[in-house]
Amino acid sequence: MDGSATWPAREHGELTAGEREILRVLGRSQDLDSVGDEILVSIGAAIIEGRLQPGDDLNSVELARRFHSSRTPVREALAVLEREGLVEIVARKRPRVRRLGIEEVRDIYELRGELYGLVSRRIVEHCTDTQLEELAAVQARLEEAAAAGDLDRYFWHNVEFRNTEARLAANDIVRGVLDSVGIRTLQLRHLSLSLPGRLDTSLADHRRLMQAYADREAELAAALTRSIVRRGLAAVERSGWTGFPD
């Protein structure tokens, strides 16, 4: 495991935004009922936020020592992360942070763009003004994080915005598919927003989307959402990221 990875202390037992999101997608309690859950969310959040990089080894002995546990909960946590597409486990080799190839990334982003386009259309067609106020409240938090220059806080409010859209769209099948690919794309979405100029572009895109919702412009909202997702992919591609070493 990369020795430079940092594991922020959890203040007063509080979960980070990344840890809460992992538990939400997995349908697990937010109370961290076991050391295995703590290992699971800590490693998952470190991968998403770039503190563990694609290809980094995940040494089960070192992890067990770090979390004061046996190797069994470490292996169980890594197995869950493998199912979610964040970790790769190969026989007779150490587990490692999984590398997504660029073609797989493009396929996932294409799927997300189409599904979130559907979500945006349903929001315009079915949500009340009161429900749109929920999105406006998240947008206000995005504005505050951007003004403070807090990338991580902006990123997780961005995730909150998309999750709120998916819930308000009231299509459980679409929401389930988005969750099924959601965790493995979070590290790329974080990378995309960290690139120069991307935070400002993202904020402007969200302002236009909120205006389309307010104006009840279903097709415009869907087109803007697909454009936002495509911009994210384009930023990843421009960064030179391929998921594999040169």
Side-chain angles (χ1 to χ4, degrees):
M1 185 172 57
D2 183 356
S4 64
T6 58
W7 307 82
R10 187 175 293 112
E11 297 181 4
H12 310 297
E14 293 182 1
L15 295 169
T16 67
E19 292 168 343
R20 288 195 301 271
E21 176 66 5
I22 292 168
L23 291 170
R24 183 195 68 79
V25 172
L26 294 177
R28 299 197 177 196
S29 167
Q30 300 279 317
D31 295 328
L32 286 187
D33 295 329
S34 68
V35 66
D37 282 348
E38 181 178 1
I39 296 167
L40 169 67
V41 299
S42 295
I43 296 174
I47 293 171
I48 290 165
E49 294 174 356
R51 287 175 278 117
L52 287 170
Q53 295 289 318
D56 279 354
D57 285 341
L58 297 166
N59 187 324
S60 60
V61 174
E62 182 181 335
L63 287 167
R65 185 182 305 115
R66 183 181 296 276
F67 290 98
H68 308 289
S69 74
S70 68
R71 293 174 65 183
T72 297
V74 172
R75 287 195 294 265
E76 291 172 349
L78 293 178
V80 173
L81 292 172
E82 180 188 35
R83 290 196 296 272
E84 295 302 320
L86 291 182
V87 168
E88 181 179 26
I89 301 176
V90 179
R92 294 183 293 280
K93 292 185 178 180
R94 282 182 182 170
R96 63 183 183 181
V97 179
R98 184 169 177 248
R99 298 181 175 107
L100 287 174
I102 193 64
E103 291 304 323
E104 182 179 0
V105 170
R106 288 170 179 151
D107 288 345
I108 292 173
Y109 268 74
E110 180 181 9
L111 175 62
R112 288 183 64 246
E114 293 305 312
L115 290 179
Y116 274 119
L118 172 61
V119 164
S120 288
R121 190 178 297 109
R122 285 182 60 88
I123 285 173
V124 170
E125 293 171 349
H126 300 290
C127 284
T128 65
D129 289 345
T130 299
Q131 288 174 312
L132 288 183
E133 288 174 3
E134 292 186 53
L135 276 175
V138 183
Q139 177 67 22
R141 291 192 281 277
L142 281 171
E143 299 275 354
E144 292 171 359
D150 189 333
L151 172 64
D152 281 342
R153 183 154 60 98
Y154 182 90
F155 170 74
W156 288 114
H157 285 319
N158 198 336
V159 172
E160 179 188 9
F161 187 94
R162 286 301 188 198
N163 289 345
T164 303
E165 285 181 311
R167 174 173 55 80
L168 292 177
N171 185 320
D172 289 340
I173 294 176
V174 169
R175 189 180 181 188
V177 174
L178 286 168
D179 278 348
S180 73
V181 299
I183 287 182
R184 73 187 66 184
T185 62
L186 285 175
Q187 64 187 124
L188 294 172
R189 291 164 65 187
H190 189 277
L191 167 65
S192 171
L193 280 174
S194 71
L195 298 173
R198 277 289 295 142
L199 191 149
D200 290 340
T201 300
S202 172
L203 187 63
D205 285 342
H206 276 82
R207 287 171 179 163
R208 285 191 288 270
L209 179 58
M210 286 301 302
Q211 189 61 54
Y213 285 153
D215 293 340
R216 300 293 178 172
E217 294 279 358
E219 292 306 317
L220 176 59
L224 285 169
T225 288
R226 289 193 295 268
S227 176
I228 290 170
V229 175
R230 286 196 297 268
R231 281 180 187 266
L233 173 59
V236 171
E237 292 175 324
R238 286 196 304 273
S239 75
W241 186 94
T242 65
F244 296 94
D246 295 333

